[in-house]
Amino acid sequence: MCTVTYIPTCKGIYLTTNRDESTERSKALPPRQYRRNGFEMIYPQDQDAGGSWVVLKENGDAAVLLNGAFTKHIRQSGYRKSRGVIFLEIMAHPHPYREFAAINLSDIEPFTLVVVSDKQLWECRWDGSMKHLIPLNADKPYIWSSATLFDNAAAQKRKLWFLNWFSSTSPVNLMKIMEFHRHAGGGDLYNGLVINRGDKMRTVSITSLFVSREGSQMNYHDLLGGIDTVKTFNQSSLTGKDSFFERAYWYLKKVKISICHWEYWPSLLVYGPLYPYWCWLSLKACSLFFFSAANPGIEYSGFVQERKSDIYRLIPQQYYPRTTLCRPGQTIAALMEQLKNAGLTFPVIAKPDMGEKGKQVKLLTSDEELEIYNSRSKVDFLLQEFIAYEQEVGIFYYRIPGEARGHISGIVGKEFLAVKGDGRSSIRSLLKAEDRFLLQLSDLAYTYGDFLDTVLARGQEYILVPYGNHSRGAKFIDLKDRITEPLTLAIDKICQQIPGFYYGRLDIKFNSWTEMQEGKKLCIIELNGAGSEPTHIYDPANSLRYAWKEICRHWRLLYRISRLNAGEHHPSLMTTADGIKMMRGHFNHLKQISKV
């Protein structure tokens, strides 16, 4: 637990550690399989304190403990608990990096954890007074040297050995890694990877973990006894206990669901047959981008590439959540200061300033989650007050230029992706029982990892996606019967206060229908312009033919509004060159939006 390397390969990852210990310490017990907190785990055990320094879990999580954090510390007497025991407690949690962020480490000696979990790599340091949780690039190799045994100069020398070896070694495999951990340093018994400092401190074992899609394995080499121990978890443990045939069954079922329900079809299949009608409207307007004057107050009329931060500035402040714009690459300290200045506290919603279909939208509950989100984001993003109203709708609004009043053309209700426990089934099983949720299972597994194996109490409801986005599993319900005169008046009053807005959809969270009709206790989560879909079409009860009729109806409204705003000679309609430039910028931006 004094030297650790992490090496990604095309077949899987290797996490390898050399354990340097005092010659007065008892010999460790070789690795065996244990069960802790419902998880099968393989690790060697320290006989003196009962803890460990390296762990492999049945789900593919792997981690190593190093003594010390950033610099050599002065050891105190009577620590509350062994670091090795704390390490096992952290690893017995479904999400070890989250448990590190939550666990009480007061009166615990400083340490560093290198954790592979949920297909991510984490560096977790406890310096005796503060935790440091750092997500790392899992596609790069790393080496760590314990701060208690190696000063900065020695650590840098060892890093150079490692990088030189890695760059000259291909392919990398277990034998070559073990050889490096045995012989790197050219016989330097003080700072080499295998040390012997006057027979008082020496390297006693080398342990290498390998994790891949096919399984995971621990290879333990006892340098003192010359004994090798190999322990393995097979594929079914690593992949969530599904066999090949089970995985094939679920895959085919998802294909069937996607084919049999048009609401899950790709946009090209849904909209493709209607493109001739779009071209007809374009010919009438003499512009392929006839929509471009529909909302003069919004960039590109809100078709694509509109910035949410600019749109919020148009909306009266009492109608939208407190929001702050963040740039990628800021420090966590700067972001926390920005949150404070904006009057925001956790939980908050994070989302890209220019986004689409719920991509990179996430509920953040702590500064650790914010730091992770920030590290992954390549684009400007917003941090926004989480609105706790339980109801959410999308209201499609339009106003014909020159007319005194606007209209509501559709309302969609949204049921969030949530499961209700039965006291027996895991969340994963509950998701598999519902067609809509099954299609989201791979994304939810990426986000929640082993938490999906949690069994909820009977009647307990858990919301997995706390925002109403169809592509993220929300069920859309056509609520056209909710269109009333009082509601239309209330929405029109708000929209007429938004400069240059004539056509689009407002996503609103609200407390009750009665209060919303009075313009009270509602919050505009997002306002979408010319690119808005009439999302009430995605009600499972609606036919594809109905959807096509609604899309064409809204395109006609868009055409009419834009033509009237542009004027008789169409001076403000977008040219083809500008339109192509706009779309190219849009697609390039989407490529930068990360999966969170």
Side-chain angles (χ1 to χ4, degrees), residues 176-246:
K176 294 177 181 178
I177 292 172
M178 295 297 276
E179 183 179 347
F180 172 78
H181 276 258
R182 282 290 302 269
H183 302 296
D188 183 346
L189 294 180
Y190 197 84
N191 288 322
L193 266 71
V194 172
I195 66 170
N196 186 343
R197 297 183 177 179
D199 286 330
K200 294 182 178 179
M201 176 71 65
R202 60 184 176 181
T203 307
V204 297
S205 66
I206 303 173
T207 309
S208 186
L209 311 180
F210 177 67
V211 180
S212 72
R213 293 177 62 88
E214 286 71 39
S216 54
Q217 186 176 87
M218 175 181 289
N219 288 271
Y220 177 82
H221 182 59
D222 181 350
L223 292 175
L224 301 183
I227 300 172
D228 290 335
T229 304
V230 179
K231 294 289 184 180
T232 302
F233 285 123
N234 60 26
Q235 183 185 28
S236 62
S237 296
L238 183 60
T239 57
K241 305 177 184 66
D242 282 350
S243 67
F244 168 80
F245 295 104
E246 288 173 318

XYZ file of all heavy atoms in Angstrom, residues 176-246:
556
model
N 4.132 -8.597 -17.397
C 4.997 -7.426 -17.540
C 4.778 -6.431 -16.400
O 5.724 -5.778 -15.944
C 4.753 -6.768 -18.894
C 5.179 -7.639 -20.068
C 4.849 -6.993 -21.405
C 5.257 -7.882 -22.571
N 4.909 -7.279 -23.884
N 3.540 -6.309 -15.937
C 3.259 -5.406 -14.815
C 3.924 -5.920 -13.539
O 4.558 -5.155 -12.790
C 1.735 -5.255 -14.618
C 1.128 -4.495 -15.795
C 1.436 -4.521 -13.309
C -0.379 -4.471 -15.784
N 3.792 -7.208 -13.272
C 4.419 -7.782 -12.072
C 5.941 -7.654 -12.144
O 6.610 -7.402 -11.132
C 4.005 -9.244 -11.920
C 2.519 -9.452 -11.669
S 1.930 -8.725 -10.115
C 2.360 -10.037 -8.961
N 6.496 -7.799 -13.339
C 7.937 -7.638 -13.509
C 8.364 -6.204 -13.193
O 9.385 -5.972 -12.538
C 8.332 -8.007 -14.940
C 9.827 -7.945 -15.202
C 10.176 -8.339 -16.623
O 9.309 -8.894 -17.327
O 11.327 -8.079 -17.033
N 7.568 -5.234 -13.681
C 7.882 -3.837 -13.358
C 7.828 -3.601 -11.858
O 8.712 -2.953 -11.285
C 6.886 -2.899 -14.075
C 7.003 -1.462 -13.648
C 8.021 -0.661 -14.132
C 6.098 -0.911 -12.739
C 8.154 0.675 -13.726
C 6.209 0.410 -12.335
C 7.236 1.207 -12.832
N 6.796 -4.125 -11.212
C 6.662 -3.916 -9.764
C 7.730 -4.667 -8.962
O 7.968 -4.337 -7.798
C 5.249 -4.314 -9.307
C 4.226 -3.237 -9.481
N 3.768 -2.463 -8.448
C 3.581 -2.785 -10.592
C 2.877 -1.600 -8.894
N 2.740 -1.774 -10.202
N 8.355 -5.648 -9.552
C 9.433 -6.380 -8.876
C 10.798 -5.713 -9.061
O 11.612 -5.674 -8.126
C 9.525 -7.820 -9.413
C 8.491 -8.779 -8.874
C 8.693 -9.121 -7.412
N 9.982 -9.709 -7.123
C 10.243 -11.007 -7.120
N 9.273 -11.869 -7.445
N 11.431 -11.465 -6.807
N 11.040 -5.143 -10.261
C 12.414 -4.773 -10.597
C 12.638 -3.301 -10.914
O 13.805 -2.900 -11.082
C 12.882 -5.619 -11.785
C 12.806 -7.093 -11.533
N 13.561 -7.724 -10.566
C 12.033 -8.059 -12.116
C 13.283 -9.024 -10.552
N 12.353 -9.252 -11.480
N 11.587 -2.478 -11.021
C 11.797 -1.064 -11.338
C 12.644 -0.400 -10.251
O 12.457 -0.635 -9.062
C 10.458 -0.351 -11.473
N 13.570 0.430 -10.699
C 14.448 1.120 -9.750
C 15.866 0.606 -9.791
O 16.746 1.143 -9.102
N 16.103 -0.436 -10.584
C 17.464 -0.922 -10.780
C 18.185 -1.309 -9.500
O 19.386 -1.039 -9.346
N 17.482 -1.937 -8.572
C 18.128 -2.399 -7.354
C 18.250 -1.354 -6.257
O 18.896 -1.602 -5.227
N 17.626 -0.197 -6.427
C 17.619 0.838 -5.386
C 16.729 0.358 -4.240
O 15.505 0.410 -4.326
C 17.088 2.156 -5.971
C 17.113 3.308 -4.972
O 17.281 3.049 -3.770
O 16.948 4.467 -5.408
N 17.322 -0.114 -3.169
C 16.550 -0.701 -2.068
C 15.913 0.343 -1.159
O 15.147 -0.008 -0.260
C 17.443 -1.626 -1.241
C 17.937 -2.877 -1.974
C 18.817 -3.729 -1.047
C 16.759 -3.703 -2.479
N 16.208 1.609 -1.408
C 15.615 2.662 -0.573
C 14.401 3.283 -1.265
O 13.362 3.491 -0.644
C 16.627 3.751 -0.258
C 16.198 4.631 0.902
C 16.446 4.249 2.222
C 15.505 5.826 0.686
C 16.036 5.041 3.294
C 15.090 6.622 1.738
C 15.353 6.224 3.044
O 14.939 7.009 4.097
N 14.508 3.568 -2.586
C 13.418 4.230 -3.301
C 12.866 3.413 -4.466
O 11.983 3.877 -5.189
C 13.869 5.596 -3.821
C 14.023 6.606 -2.704
O 13.244 6.620 -1.761
N 15.045 7.453 -2.802
N 13.399 2.196 -4.693
C 12.869 1.347 -5.749
C 11.467 0.884 -5.424
O 10.923 1.176 -4.352
N 10.857 0.130 -6.342
C 9.495 -0.339 -6.071
C 9.494 -1.465 -5.045
O 8.529 -1.623 -4.302
C 8.792 -0.764 -7.358
C 7.954 0.376 -7.982
C 8.831 1.463 -8.564
C 6.967 -0.142 -9.002
N 10.552 -2.272 -4.997
C 10.733 -3.241 -3.914
C 11.865 -2.726 -3.039
O 12.993 -2.558 -3.500
C 11.061 -4.642 -4.467
C 11.431 -5.592 -3.327
C 9.862 -5.198 -5.246
N 11.540 -2.444 -1.767
C 12.525 -1.811 -0.884
C 12.913 -2.744 0.264
O 12.216 -3.715 0.587
C 11.983 -0.484 -0.299
C 10.787 -0.742 0.640
C 11.619 0.496 -1.407
C 10.357 0.488 1.428
N 14.040 -2.422 0.861
C 14.472 -3.042 2.114
C 15.355 -2.028 2.816
O 16.535 -1.880 2.499
C 15.237 -4.342 1.866
C 15.559 -5.068 3.178
O 15.507 -4.479 4.266
N 15.888 -6.344 3.090
N 14.772 -1.297 3.743
C 15.484 -0.227 4.443
C 16.052 -0.756 5.757
O 15.421 -0.673 6.806
C 14.558 0.974 4.675
C 14.087 1.611 3.361
C 13.218 2.841 3.582
N 12.838 3.455 2.313
C 12.064 4.547 2.208
N 11.586 5.131 3.305
N 11.771 5.047 1.022
N 17.226 -1.377 5.641
C 17.934 -1.853 6.831
C 17.199 -2.926 7.589
O 17.328 -3.006 8.826
N 16.437 -3.759 6.890
C 15.653 -4.823 7.513
C 14.668 -4.314 8.567
O 14.249 -5.067 9.452
C 16.588 -5.872 8.157
C 17.254 -6.750 7.117
O 16.630 -6.964 6.061
O 18.388 -7.197 7.344
N 14.305 -3.030 8.440
C 13.285 -2.473 9.327
C 11.972 -2.216 8.579
O 10.895 -2.327 9.148
C 13.782 -1.171 9.954
C 14.958 -1.361 10.908
C 15.369 -0.048 11.541
C 16.524 -0.245 12.528
N 16.955 1.042 13.142
N 12.095 -1.848 7.318
C 10.934 -1.596 6.453
C 11.226 -2.255 5.115
O 12.260 -2.005 4.509
C 10.706 -0.092 6.270
C 9.583 0.275 5.317
S 7.932 -0.077 5.955
C 7.863 1.051 7.352
N 10.298 -3.104 4.651
C 10.549 -3.801 3.389
C 9.233 -4.103 2.679
O 8.159 -4.100 3.292
C 11.321 -5.087 3.630
C 10.601 -6.082 4.527
C 11.461 -7.302 4.808
N 10.813 -8.224 5.739
C 11.356 -9.359 6.156
N 12.564 -9.708 5.744
N 10.704 -10.130 7.000
N 9.345 -4.394 1.377
C 8.185 -4.768 0.569
C 7.866 -6.230 0.833
O 8.733 -7.099 0.676
C 8.463 -4.556 -0.927
O 8.910 -3.217 -1.136
C 7.203 -4.793 -1.753
N 6.633 -6.505 1.230
C 6.277 -7.872 1.635
C 5.375 -8.575 0.624
O 5.280 -9.810 0.635
C 5.603 -7.870 3.027
C 6.583 -7.361 4.087
C 4.324 -7.030 3.028
N 4.682 -7.824 -0.232
C 3.792 -8.471 -1.206
C 3.506 -7.535 -2.372
O 3.649 -6.312 -2.261
C 2.472 -8.895 -0.550
O 1.734 -7.757 -0.138
N 3.098 -8.136 -3.496
C 2.634 -7.400 -4.672
C 1.274 -7.983 -5.055
O 1.133 -9.200 -5.191
C 3.603 -7.525 -5.859
C 5.008 -7.041 -5.469
C 3.091 -6.719 -7.048
C 6.053 -7.284 -6.547
N 0.287 -7.120 -5.211
C -1.071 -7.560 -5.557
C -1.533 -6.826 -6.801
O -1.443 -5.591 -6.868
C -2.063 -7.288 -4.419
O -1.546 -7.805 -3.195
C -3.412 -7.918 -4.718
N -2.010 -7.563 -7.783
C -2.508 -6.950 -9.016
C -3.962 -7.353 -9.228
O -4.309 -8.538 -9.180
C -1.660 -7.376 -10.214
O -2.070 -6.659 -11.368
N -4.810 -6.353 -9.471
C -6.223 -6.572 -9.766
C -6.457 -6.322 -11.254
O -5.924 -5.359 -11.823
C -7.107 -5.622 -8.961
C -6.842 -5.521 -7.462
C -7.815 -4.535 -6.823
C -6.944 -6.876 -6.811
N -7.236 -7.182 -11.869
C -7.602 -7.001 -13.274
C -9.124 -7.031 -13.375
O -9.774 -7.954 -12.877
C -7.006 -8.101 -14.146
C -7.411 -8.014 -15.591
C -6.978 -6.959 -16.374
C -8.232 -8.978 -16.168
C -7.341 -6.861 -17.717
C -8.610 -8.892 -17.498
C -8.154 -7.834 -18.275
N -9.697 -5.991 -14.001
C -11.149 -5.885 -14.149
C -11.471 -5.695 -15.619
O -10.924 -4.797 -16.272
C -11.720 -4.710 -13.332
C -13.226 -4.614 -13.512
C -11.366 -4.846 -11.859
N -12.362 -6.542 -16.143
C -12.784 -6.436 -17.536
C -14.258 -6.794 -17.639
O -14.898 -7.160 -16.641
C -11.958 -7.380 -18.414
O -12.343 -8.724 -18.175
N -14.802 -6.734 -18.843
C -16.209 -7.088 -19.052
C -16.441 -8.576 -18.808
O -17.538 -9.000 -18.458
C -16.619 -6.742 -20.482
C -16.645 -5.253 -20.771
C -16.985 -4.994 -22.223
N -18.303 -5.496 -22.557
C -19.435 -4.796 -22.427
N -19.388 -3.570 -21.952
N -20.593 -5.325 -22.752
N -15.391 -9.379 -18.986
C -15.535 -10.826 -18.841
C -15.415 -11.302 -17.395
O -15.804 -12.410 -17.073
C -14.482 -11.542 -19.692
C -14.764 -11.510 -21.185
C -14.581 -10.128 -21.782
O -13.613 -9.444 -21.361
O -15.395 -9.724 -22.624
N -14.858 -10.483 -16.520
C -14.686 -10.903 -15.136
C -13.607 -10.084 -14.463
O -13.093 -9.110 -15.020
N -13.260 -10.458 -13.247
C -12.224 -9.748 -12.500
C -11.424 -10.747 -11.679
O -11.921 -11.818 -11.298
C -12.849 -8.682 -11.592
O -13.833 -9.251 -10.750
N -10.166 -10.383 -11.408
C -9.255 -11.325 -10.774
C -8.261 -10.593 -9.893
O -7.820 -9.487 -10.212
C -8.511 -12.118 -11.853
C -7.622 -13.240 -11.341
C -7.006 -14.009 -12.490
O -5.950 -13.636 -13.002
N -7.672 -15.089 -12.923
N -7.906 -11.230 -8.756
C -6.849 -10.728 -7.886
C -5.680 -11.713 -7.920
O -5.856 -12.904 -7.676
C -7.344 -10.561 -6.438
C -6.245 -10.149 -5.460
S -6.803 -9.968 -3.738
C -7.777 -8.470 -3.852
N -4.492 -11.200 -8.245
C -3.263 -11.986 -8.219
C -2.382 -11.461 -7.081
O -1.955 -10.301 -7.108
C -2.511 -11.862 -9.549
C -3.207 -12.598 -10.673
O -2.964 -13.768 -10.894
N -4.100 -11.893 -11.379
N -2.126 -12.324 -6.110
C -1.414 -11.916 -4.894
C -0.104 -12.700 -4.809
O -0.097 -13.943 -4.827
C -2.293 -12.215 -3.678
C -1.672 -11.920 -2.343
C -1.657 -10.635 -1.824
C -1.124 -12.951 -1.570
C -1.113 -10.374 -0.570
C -0.572 -12.699 -0.319
C -0.572 -11.406 0.169
O -0.030 -11.147 1.401
N 1.010 -11.981 -4.732
C 2.323 -12.623 -4.651
C 2.973 -12.267 -3.321
O 3.287 -11.108 -3.055
C 3.218 -12.180 -5.801
C 4.562 -12.832 -5.803
N 4.733 -14.203 -5.865
C 5.812 -12.307 -5.723
C 6.019 -14.491 -5.834
N 6.702 -13.358 -5.749
N 3.149 -13.264 -2.487
C 3.796 -13.109 -1.180
C 5.308 -13.173 -1.398
O 5.870 -14.233 -1.685
C 3.319 -14.224 -0.247
C 3.917 -14.122 1.141
O 4.837 -13.307 1.341
O 3.466 -14.875 2.024
N 5.984 -12.031 -1.267
C 7.428 -11.992 -1.516
C 8.220 -12.729 -0.444
O 9.322 -13.220 -0.712
C 7.902 -10.537 -1.599
C 7.424 -9.732 -2.811
C 7.863 -8.286 -2.687
C 7.948 -10.332 -4.097
N 7.685 -12.810 0.765
C 8.414 -13.467 1.858
C 8.292 -14.978 1.764
O 9.275 -15.706 1.949
C 7.885 -12.976 3.207
C 7.980 -11.459 3.452
C 7.483 -11.116 4.851
C 9.403 -10.963 3.268
N 7.093 -15.468 1.455
C 6.894 -16.911 1.396
C 6.988 -17.482 -0.002
O 7.020 -18.699 -0.191
N 7.014 -16.580 -1.024
C 7.090 -17.029 -2.396
C 5.844 -17.738 -2.872
O 5.896 -18.537 -3.812
N 4.699 -17.463 -2.249
C 3.448 -18.148 -2.586
C 2.552 -17.215 -3.393
O 2.371 -16.052 -3.044
C 2.712 -18.613 -1.309
C 3.608 -19.582 -0.512
C 1.386 -19.255 -1.653
C 3.042 -19.945 0.836
N 1.977 -17.735 -4.475
C 1.027 -16.982 -5.293
C -0.401 -17.436 -4.990
O -0.665 -18.629 -4.873
C 1.305 -17.188 -6.783
C 2.601 -16.525 -7.220
O 3.022 -15.564 -6.557
O 3.184 -16.968 -8.228
N -1.310 -16.464 -4.879
C -2.727 -16.760 -4.673
C -3.524 -16.041 -5.738
O -3.326 -14.839 -5.965
C -3.192 -16.299 -3.279
O -2.384 -16.906 -2.275
C -4.649 -16.665 -3.051
N -4.419 -16.748 -6.404
C -5.265 -16.160 -7.440
C -6.722 -16.379 -7.061
O -7.139 -17.505 -6.782
C -4.983 -16.788 -8.822
C -5.892 -16.165 -9.878
C -3.518 -16.613 -9.200
N -7.496 -15.291 -7.041
C -8.923 -15.357 -6.749
C -9.682 -14.639 -7.863
O -9.243 -13.592 -8.342
C -9.246 -14.704 -5.393
C -8.655 -15.428 -4.193
C -9.363 -16.743 -3.936
C -8.847 -17.428 -2.685
N -9.531 -18.709 -2.417
N -10.832 -15.194 -8.250
C -11.543 -14.699 -9.427
C -13.028 -14.535 -9.164
O -13.640 -15.325 -8.452
C -11.357 -15.681 -10.610
O -9.961 -15.830 -10.863
C -12.043 -15.173 -11.861
N -13.602 -13.472 -9.751
C -15.047 -13.337 -9.891
C -15.362 -13.557 -11.361
O -14.707 -12.977 -12.232
C -15.546 -11.944 -9.486
C -15.581 -11.719 -8.007
C -14.880 -10.665 -7.433
C -16.326 -12.541 -7.178
C -14.919 -10.444 -6.062
C -16.370 -12.329 -5.807
C -15.665 -11.273 -5.250
N -16.388 -14.351 -11.662
C -16.688 -14.629 -13.062
C -17.559 -13.541 -13.665
O -17.960 -12.584 -13.009
C -17.354 -16.003 -13.218
C -18.660 -16.100 -12.449
O -19.316 -15.110 -12.202
N -19.032 -17.318 -12.068
N -17.896 -13.724 -14.944
C -18.622 -12.715 -15.694
C -19.983 -12.409 -15.099
O -20.395 -11.266 -15.022
C -18.784 -13.173 -17.141
C -19.475 -12.154 -18.039
C -19.716 -12.690 -19.422
O -19.858 -13.889 -19.585
N -19.780 -11.833 -20.402
N -20.697 -13.425 -14.630
C -22.067 -13.191 -14.142
C -22.065 -12.298 -12.930
O -22.959 -11.486 -12.741
C -22.750 -14.525 -13.811
O -22.047 -15.201 -12.774
N -21.035 -12.389 -12.066
C -20.951 -11.499 -10.915
C -20.722 -10.072 -11.360
O -21.324 -9.136 -10.851
C -19.810 -11.938 -9.988
O -20.056 -13.208 -9.447
N -19.821 -9.913 -12.320
C -19.424 -8.573 -12.733
C -20.519 -7.847 -13.481
O -20.666 -6.641 -13.368
C -18.174 -8.666 -13.618
C -17.545 -7.355 -14.096
C -17.126 -6.509 -12.920
C -16.374 -7.626 -15.020
N -21.303 -8.525 -14.254
C -22.274 -7.869 -15.118
C -23.676 -7.846 -14.543
O -24.639 -7.624 -15.246
C -22.324 -8.568 -16.488
O -22.633 -9.951 -16.282
C -21.004 -8.431 -17.202
N -23.815 -8.096 -13.247
C -25.123 -7.974 -12.633
C -25.906 -9.262 -12.687
O -27.117 -9.246 -12.696
N -25.199 -10.424 -12.760
C -25.801 -11.747 -12.627
C -26.645 -12.159 -13.827
O -27.376 -13.114 -13.788
C -26.610 -11.838 -11.338
C -25.794 -11.490 -10.097
C -26.645 -11.528 -8.854
C -25.866 -11.086 -7.627
N -25.472 -9.691 -7.685
N -26.575 -11.437 -14.952
C -27.296 -11.838 -16.155
C -26.398 -12.705 -17.033
O -25.276 -12.313 -17.353
C -27.739 -10.604 -16.950
C -28.965 -9.951 -16.342
O -29.557 -10.555 -15.435
O -29.313 -8.840 -16.777
N -26.899 -13.857 -17.452
C -26.156 -14.710 -18.369
C -26.245 -14.128 -19.777
O -26.974 -13.164 -20.041
C -26.747 -16.116 -18.365
O -28.053 -16.101 -18.939
N -25.526 -14.748 -20.705
C -25.568 -14.311 -22.103
C -27.002 -14.357 -22.631
O -27.465 -13.427 -23.299
C -24.657 -15.199 -22.955
C -24.857 -15.004 -24.435
C -24.281 -13.933 -25.084
C -25.647 -15.897 -25.165
C -24.483 -13.737 -26.445
C -25.840 -15.712 -26.521
C -25.252 -14.634 -27.164
N -27.719 -15.437 -22.349
C -29.077 -15.588 -22.868
C -30.030 -14.573 -22.234
O -30.941 -14.063 -22.899
C -29.563 -17.012 -22.629
C -28.771 -18.037 -23.399
C -27.824 -18.825 -22.761
C -28.946 -18.185 -24.768
C -27.084 -19.758 -23.470
C -28.212 -19.113 -25.494
C -27.268 -19.902 -24.841
N -29.804 -14.277 -20.952
C -30.646 -13.267 -20.292
C -30.400 -11.891 -20.904
O -31.343 -11.129 -21.155
C -30.367 -13.259 -18.794
C -30.915 -14.474 -18.058
C -30.466 -14.514 -16.610
O -29.279 -14.216 -16.333
O -31.291 -14.853 -15.755
